[in-house]
Amino acid sequence: RRPQPSPQKRAMASESLFPSASPPIDASSTAAAVSFRAGKMTLSGTTVTADPRKGRVEIVTDADALTHFRWVLRGEGGGVEEDLIVFPDEAEWVRLEGAGEGARAYVLKFRSSSKKLFFWMQEPRRDGDGEIAKRVNEAMNSHEMGS
C-alpha cells in the first residue's frame, strides 16, 4: 500500500506548474494601492473615443509581489476586462495632451513598446486628477517588493 501524501503536498500537486499570464487576484486578501473611477477609450486613427461604460482603474500587488494595472467594469455583471502586469519604470500614466479644454483623458504609455491604453476620468471632482495621476505612477513604479 502506497503512503498518502500530506495535505500540503496534495495542495501543491493540484496547482498548475505554469499559471496563466494573468492569474486571478483574490480581492478579499489584496487591497488596491490605488483605485478610482475611469472609463476606457478606443483609438481609431488619431481619434480617441470614450466608451460610455462605467469602470474603475486599480493598481494591485498580488501574492507574488507583481504589480497589476487593472480596468474593472463597475456595476452588475462587471468584472476585470484589462489585467496587465507592470514592472517598475515600464509604464507611465499621463494626461493626454491635445484632448481639448476640460478633457480628463489619460494614457497609460509603455516605455518598452508603442502600446498605449486610453482612459477618461469618471471621478466627480476634477481637482483630484493630478493627485490620482501621481499616486498611479508611484504605485506602478515602486521598486519595493510588495508595494
Side-chain angles (χ1 to χ4, degrees):
R1 185 169 190 215
R2 292 176 49 190
Q4 294 296 314
S6 69
Q8 291 86 4
K9 286 187 179 180
R10 277 196 304 265
M12 286 175 46
S14 69
E15 292 178 9
S16 172
L17 183 59
F18 301 100
S20 67
S22 297
I25 297 172
D26 181 4
S28 64
S29 65
T30 307
V34 180
S35 178
F36 58 94
R37 291 173 279 199
K40 292 196 318 184
M41 300 177 80
T42 55
L43 178 64
S44 178
T46 59
T47 304
V48 289
T49 305
D51 179 331
R53 299 177 300 163
K54 295 178 180 180
R56 175 175 300 281
V57 167
E58 298 177 344
I59 310 296
V60 181
T61 302
D62 68 15
D64 294 324
L66 296 172
T67 301
H68 292 251
F69 179 98
R70 301 191 311 182
W71 187 78
V72 181
L73 184 61
R74 291 187 284 146
E76 196 170 317
V80 177
E81 286 199 9
E82 295 279 351
D83 187 355
L84 304 169
I85 295 173
V86 180
F87 295 98
D89 300 323
E90 179 186 32
E92 183 179 17
W93 176 263
V94 294
R95 187 174 182 279
L96 188 59
E97 297 300 323
E101 183 146 347
R104 299 172 68 199
Y106 283 78
V107 59
L108 178 66
K109 295 199 291 187
F110 290 84
R111 294 183 174 112
S112 61
S113 72
S114 61
K115 183 174 181 101
K116 295 178 183 178
L117 298 174
F118 298 90
F119 299 88
W120 60 283
M121 300 297 277
Q122 293 178 335
E123 287 293 332
R125 296 180 50 120
R126 70 177 52 246
D127 59 355
D129 291 358
E131 180 60 28
I132 289 171
K134 178 182 171 191
R135 289 177 39 223
V136 167
N137 283 312
E138 288 172 354
M140 286 190 310
N141 295 305
S142 172
H143 290 275
E144 298 175 23
M145 294 299 283
S147 62

